[in-house]
Each structure stands twice: as C-alpha cells, then as structure tokens.
Amino acid sequence: TAMPEVTEQATVAPTLEPTPTTESVDGKVKSKLTNEWVDEEKGTRRPYAIMLSNIKAASPQNGISQASILYEALVEGGITRCMGIFEDFDADKIGSVRSARHYYASLADEYDAIFVHYGESKYTEAKLTELGVDNLSGLTSIGSTVFYRDSNIKAPHNAFASYNGIIEGTEKLKYRTEYREDLVSHYEFNDEDVTPASDLTANTVTLGFSKSYSPYFEYDESTKLYKRFQFDAPHVDATTNEQLTFKNLIVQFVKETTMDDKGRQDMDFSDATGDGYYISDGKAIKITWKKNEADKFMSYYDESGNKLTVNT
C-alpha cells in the first residue's frame, strides 16, 4: 500500500465506527456505528456488511450513501472494492453487489455484521467457516430472495440487493438479529466536535491504491465534512445523485501480499499491528492499530498510546 504524503495531502482510507450504549430516549438510541441518535429497532439490531463493486463500469453505485461506514481496499489487478456497514437503511436497490474477499469477512466480523455478497473466493469460504460469519450469498439457495438482476445493465455488474430481500433472507436462515451481548465498540466517540490537535493539515486527502485507483477527498469547511471523488468526478449515490461525504477518515497500513497467480491479495489481520492516520475537521494525526482476529476486534490508538476517540 502507498505511504501517505505528509503535507497538505495525506494518503488515507475511509472509515467511521462504533460505541455501545443501551440508553434509550423517546424510542431512540445512540448508534454503535456513528454515535448519532437512531430508532431503537435499528440501533440494537445487527448491521449488514455489503460488498460493493467499485470499478468504473459499475459506478456510481446505488444505495451506497446509506452505509454508516465505508471500507475500501485493493483486490486483484490494482482495482478496489468497497464494503459498506449498513444500519439505518431502507434502499430498494443496493449495489452492484460483487463477490467477497476474506479480509472483508474479517472486518465484517468486527461489527457482528451479517455479510452480504454475491459469491466469494475459496479463501473467503475458508474464512467464513473459521470465524463463523453469518452471510447471505447470491450463489446459494437464498440468492434469489436477497438479490435480483437489473436487465438494463450488463452482467456481472447487474446484481443488486434490496432492504426487503436482505431482511427476508435473514429470516429464512434464522440468523440472530440482535447484537451479541459481549460486543465491544471500536471507538470512544466525542459527543461534541473535537478537531484533532495537529500541525498536519489535510484539506485534500488522496488514496494511492494503485496507478489506476487514486480516489480523493476534499474538505469542506462550511460543513466540516469530506467530499469524496473518484474517476475524476464527484463520487455520488446513483439513486440520489448526492455526493458521498464523511466526517472521519482513517488509513491503516496493512502488510499485504499476493496469494496466487490470479493476483488475489492477502492482508495480515490474524494477529497484527500497524500505523495509520486519523483525519477529521481538516487535520490529521498519526495513529496505530492492533487486531487479533480471534478476538473479533480492531483497536486504534493515538500518538500517546491512548484509545482513539473520533467525532460523531
């Protein structure tokens, strides 16, 4: 993975994350994913981690703006694939949905999420079994319940999931729908906005995934949000035509290797540590991260070694 440019720009990857609470006020609870107030029914149920194609031919995606958290990482051939963590969503068209990779399954497991994908690599099949990840795959008997094909779009970029299909598929497979009781959140949240204390300005944030994939973010001081761009244009949700925006950005530098002659990638999450950046409000700080896959957890720390706190 590319090292960041520590100037007015930094190379990063996007993320937003959780904190647990059982406090309910007027039928609402604080989201474990964003710390925003959401309906109790949505804030206490397991989220869905949905694999999204991110090649130019399949862009822009439908329903992507309803994700609370968006991951992006390399797959084969220098392209990237995204995974959204969906909690408060109702979209009739989400996708296109593509096949899973094993490191995304590992990340989904951190959220106690039900993993939604249209097929998977052989490495993913092994990881799903190893970690015991509940999943909805388009290549199983549940496929026609969860997914549908858009005949106006050329395959394989025409498989889409719907909210109703996802819920029906979950019911048919009798998956647990409430968060597990021992779930520990990734983050402590700032209830009030806190600008990271840093001399490192991050008004433009570029992700140097590969020569052909360098999406970037531009900071908007008026909203205190980052606008996302890719393929030399604003990255929008095809359903709403609204540009994707983010409050928090996180980059993690991960040990990455090529696994086979098809170029499939491996990312060391089994028991690993690494460096990165946390970016919000136009500022960036250096962080470290730690993950033990068996614990189903990822931890982030600031430069002083304290657990990272992020903005709501």
Side-chain angles (χ1 to χ4, degrees), residues 57-300:
S59 298
Q61 302 95 336
N62 291 87
I64 189 171
S65 63
Q66 291 194 357
S68 297
I69 301 169
L70 187 67
Y71 280 90
E72 182 177 18
L74 281 168
V75 288
E76 305 85 59
I79 68 172
T80 67
R81 194 157 287 176
C82 292
M83 181 180 74
I85 311 294
F86 288 77
E87 170 189 59
D88 187 3
F89 72 110
D90 59 6
D92 294 328
K93 190 174 189 179
I94 304 171
S96 68
V97 179
R98 293 304 307 273
S99 57
R101 298 296 178 264
H102 61 288
Y103 38 92
Y104 284 106
S106 177
L107 293 169
D109 196 36
E110 296 171 16
Y111 294 91
D112 195 26
I114 297 172
F115 194 33
V116 182
H117 51 102
Y118 208 99
E120 62 280 328
S121 68
K122 63 181 180 180
Y123 308 108
T124 307
E125 291 178 356
K127 186 62 67 176
L128 292 171
T129 300
E130 175 192 344
L131 299 179
V133 178
D134 291 339
N135 68 104
L136 302 172
S137 173
L139 298 184
T140 65
S141 60
I142 209 71
S144 60
T145 299
V146 178
F147 302 95
Y148 65 92
R149 294 279 185 180
D150 184 337
S151 60
N152 295 315
I153 301 173
K154 186 178 180 179
H157 310 303
N158 63 349
F160 294 87
S162 69
Y163 171 80
N164 289 335
I166 287 171
I167 297 303
E168 185 178 349
T170 302
E171 292 173 351
K172 283 188 174 182
L173 292 181
K174 295 182 171 58
Y175 285 148
R176 171 175 50 85
T177 56
E178 300 291 310
Y179 275 116
R180 69 174 193 266
E181 291 184 2
D182 66 341
L183 181 71
V184 178
S185 288
H186 291 71
Y187 289 122
E188 301 291 335
F189 278 101
N190 303 314
D191 287 323
E192 301 295 330
D193 193 78
V194 177
T195 300
S198 175
D199 294 330
L200 180 55
T201 299
N203 288 326
T204 301
V205 179
T206 303
L207 285 70
F209 286 113
S210 67
K211 289 182 179 180
S212 56
Y213 276 75
S214 292
Y216 64 95
F217 298 80
E218 289 186 352
Y219 181 59
D220 185 338
E221 289 188 21
S222 65
T223 61
K224 289 193 169 184
L225 298 175
Y226 283 89
K227 297 178 179 179
R228 181 177 161 92
F229 296 78
Q230 64 177 13
F231 308 125
D232 299 318
H235 187 174
V236 302
D237 186 318
T239 301
T240 64
N241 204 37
E242 293 182 357
Q243 189 171 8
L244 303 185
T245 59
F246 298 81
K247 181 61 182 178
N248 302 305
L249 309 176
I250 287 183
V251 62
Q252 288 180 241
F253 296 111
V254 180
K255 183 180 179 182
E256 182 181 19
T257 54
T258 299
M259 302 182 73
D260 56 26
D261 58 4
K262 292 185 178 180
R264 292 193 178 98
Q265 300 298 295
D266 185 31
M267 296 189 189
D268 185 8
F269 283 148
S270 58
D271 188 8
T273 60
D275 300 321
Y277 285 89
Y278 167 61
I279 299 174
S280 189
D281 292 354
K283 293 290 185 178
I285 61 170
K286 293 182 179 180
I287 63 169
T288 57
W289 60 270
K290 177 174 68 175
K291 172 163 176 164
N292 186 320
E293 202 168 54
D295 295 336
K296 302 179 181 291
F297 196 67
M298 182 91 75
S299 300
Y300 297 89

